[in-house]
Amino acid sequence: MNLESQMRELAASARTAARTLATATGLERNRALLALADLLHDSRQEIFAANTLDLEAARAAGLDEARLDRLRITDGGVDSMADACRHVASLSDPVGEVEGMIRRPNGLLVGRMRIPLGVIAIIYESRPNVTIDAAILCLKAGNSVILRGGSEAYHSNQILGGLLRRALDTAGLPEGCVQIVPTTDRAAVKHLLALDEYIDVVIPRGGEGLIRAVVKDATMPVLKHYKGVCHIYVHKDADQEQALSIVENAKVQRPGVCNALECLLVHEGAAREFLPRLAALLAPLGVSFRACPRSLPHLGDTATPAEADDFGREFLSLTLAVKIVDTQAEAEEHIARYGSGHSEAILTRTHDRAMRFLRTVDASCVLINASTRFNDGGELGLGAEIGISTSKIHAYGPMGVKELTSLKYIVFGEGQVRV
């Protein structure tokens, strides 16, 4: 069988399984998740052996230590995957929920029922734990899932896929509910992205290059975010002690993630006092600044003049762009021009000013007096997430179990006909 036919058969199997899964009970889906937790716990030596093959190949290919670390599965990593299975099983079941029943003047009862999306394809890089996280969220929401991880994690993903199939069998659910693409050939992705008759939506997780390639080739809807260019605006009336703590957290805690701070906007009325204090706090932590001409004199030896492309850039490192603005409107205009629709925050003690920022700024999460690092499914109460969408259609922000479902109208009648 050639690769195109193989991908078509895989997707068709996922579509058939999706119909079965959509009618499965929440108890049956939870049984698969709990069985998977036990299998992960009991199969860690097999997992480590497969992961070692990937690590050895990655070292031979010259992958840097940061990427090796993302690829590595540890004892704690296995425990975390098993815990995630149990946690997702404990979440409320969204499938079949009925919302907003109303009675029309003609007596019809009209409402909306939450249903699975159907078949979801997830294209992702590096971290093999994504294989488990993505699969269990999709299963909880009643969706079949096709998983195509990075070639560097091939052996790890195959062993995890085998455990998923065993868990499905334990729960009496078809193996086609979770499909692991069984090849590292990149052409497989292109073939999958042409199968919109079987696949309802694709979710890419990885660098901007991967996401743009998926968007270019996909014939089905794509839930995505290209990058996280996150801003914090410090107004002149902000509590400066609080602002220093928030900016430090947003930039330093995990600088390589999509909700980390990349550009700081400071009102000119606060800059003279605030920026030197910020430099004294962050420079010893390794932060360097790309500063506009007005902010440069206030930021010390670790500041260099900002280049034109430093604004709107996702550094993913301990580099922070800084700009002084004269008004809140100027800050909002800067965010509108350079933001990526991910996470934006204002630090102020004025309620009206904060509410204006909420209304004006377009992002999947807008925060008042809080770190951008809170734009995360777990932190926002979703329990778990499959990623953060900056696409406004269907989902905007962290995507948990409920965001992996849709709503259909349901109508209860007593013989009514339309006149």
Side-chain angles (χ1 to χ4, degrees):
M1 185 184 300
N2 64 33
L3 187 59
E4 182 177 3
S5 298
Q6 186 181 13
M7 292 303 101
R8 179 172 291 276
E9 183 176 287
L10 182 149
S13 174
R15 170 59 69 192
T16 300
R19 290 194 290 270
T20 300
L21 190 59
T23 60
T25 66
L27 183 62
E28 290 170 317
R29 286 181 269 120
N30 285 341
R31 189 180 299 135
L33 300 182
L34 295 174
L36 179 59
D38 292 338
L39 286 167
L40 286 164
H41 183 273
D42 296 340
S43 306
R44 65 183 66 219
Q45 296 309 317
E46 300 167 53
I47 295 169
F48 294 152
N51 187 238
T52 297
L53 294 176
D54 289 329
L55 289 168
E56 290 173 350
R59 288 192 191 95
L63 265 68
D64 59 41
E65 189 54 43
R67 293 175 69 188
L68 288 171
D69 185 61
R70 289 196 292 270
L71 179 58
R72 186 176 292 109
I73 300 177
T74 63
D75 249 336
V78 174
D79 290 339
S80 293
M81 286 188 281
D83 289 345
C85 295
R86 297 185 184 98
H87 175 69
V88 171
S90 73
L91 298 175
S92 62
D93 184 1
V95 179
E97 286 182 358
V98 176
E99 302 180 4
M101 292 295 292
I102 60 170
R103 187 173 294 278
R104 300 289 296 145
N106 61 4
L108 289 177
L109 272 175
V110 179
R112 304 180 82 186
M113 177 182 285
R114 196 162 288 280
I115 59 170
L117 293 177
V119 178
I120 300 174
I122 302 178
I123 317 296
Y124 56 103
E125 296 172 335
S126 206
R127 301 179 190 272
N129 64 291
V130 173
T131 300
I132 297 298
D133 292 345
I136 61 178
L137 285 167
C138 289
L139 287 172
K140 180 72 177 185
N143 300 291
S144 286
V145 61
I146 299 170
L147 298 162
R148 205 289 187 178
S151 58
E152 68 277 11
Y154 176 78
H155 296 95
S156 304
N157 289 336
Q158 291 302 311
I159 190 70
L160 294 174
L163 298 179
L164 279 158
R165 288 190 292 273
R166 288 168 60 186
L168 289 167
D169 184 63
T170 298
L173 297 173
E175 288 187 0
C177 292
V178 178
Q179 305 264 6
I180 307 290
V181 175
T183 176
T184 60
D185 191 333
R186 292 185 178 182
V189 174
K190 285 206 170 192
H191 293 313
L192 282 174
L193 295 178
L195 297 174
D196 56 305
E197 69 266 42
Y198 299 117
I199 299 171
D200 294 286
V201 64
V202 59
I203 303 174
R205 289 187 56 169
E208 185 176 356
L210 167 71
I211 295 169
R212 290 197 180 278
V214 169
V215 170
K216 176 177 176 292
D217 292 334
T219 56
M220 65 287 292
V222 181
L223 293 176
K224 63 186 182 297
H225 83 262
Y226 289 120
K227 54 187 176 181
V229 182
C230 305
H231 298 79
I232 289 178
Y233 168 55
V234 181
H235 190 65
K236 64 181 179 181
D237 70 354
D239 179 324
Q240 290 207 8
E241 293 297 332
Q242 184 184 84
L244 289 168
S245 174
I246 289 171
V247 172
E248 177 189 1
N249 176 261
K251 183 68 232 179
V252 175
Q253 189 202 32
R254 287 191 68 194
V257 294
C258 59
N259 56 14
L261 174 64
E262 300 291 16
C263 181
L264 180 69
L265 304 172
V266 182
H267 191 278
E268 58 86 22
R272 185 180 298 274
E273 179 184 357
F274 182 73
L275 290 178
R277 296 183 66 189
L278 183 73
L281 174 66
L282 297 190
L285 301 176
V287 176
S288 61
F289 303 96
R290 303 288 176 85
C292 75
R294 295 169 68 188
S295 62
L296 186 62
H298 303 299
L299 288 168
D301 295 339
T302 61
T304 57
E307 302 291 338
D309 63 353
D310 285 331
F311 298 110
R313 182 173 172 184
E314 188 180 37
F315 295 103
L316 299 175
S317 68
L318 290 172
T319 302
L320 179 63
V322 180
K323 182 179 180 181
I324 292 176
V325 295
D326 291 321
T327 64
Q328 179 172 334
E330 185 182 348
E332 292 164 352
E333 288 165 8
H334 181 99
I335 292 169
R337 178 177 178 183
Y338 294 107
S340 60
H342 197 288
S343 309
E344 311 290 359
I346 183 173
L347 311 185
T348 180
R349 285 185 275 200
T350 304
H351 176 77
D352 290 347
R353 190 173 301 284
M355 296 309 294
R356 167 183 158 159
F357 193 85
L358 282 182
R359 291 190 300 270
T360 303
V361 171
D362 183 8
S364 74
C365 182
V366 181
L367 306 102
I368 300 169
N369 297 326
S371 169
T372 55
R373 290 281 291 115
F374 284 108
N375 190 9
D376 169 88
E379 295 292 337
L380 297 181
L382 277 67
E385 69 170 46
I386 205 164
I388 293 177
S389 171
T390 56
S391 309
K392 290 185 182 178
I393 303 301
H394 176 70
Y396 199 24
M399 295 177 57
V401 171
K402 186 168 283 191
E403 285 70 32
L404 294 175
T405 63
S406 186
L407 289 164
K408 68 179 178 184
Y409 279 95
I410 56 174
V411 180
F412 294 86
E414 296 174 324
Q416 291 93 332
V417 294
R418 184 170 176 175
V419 294

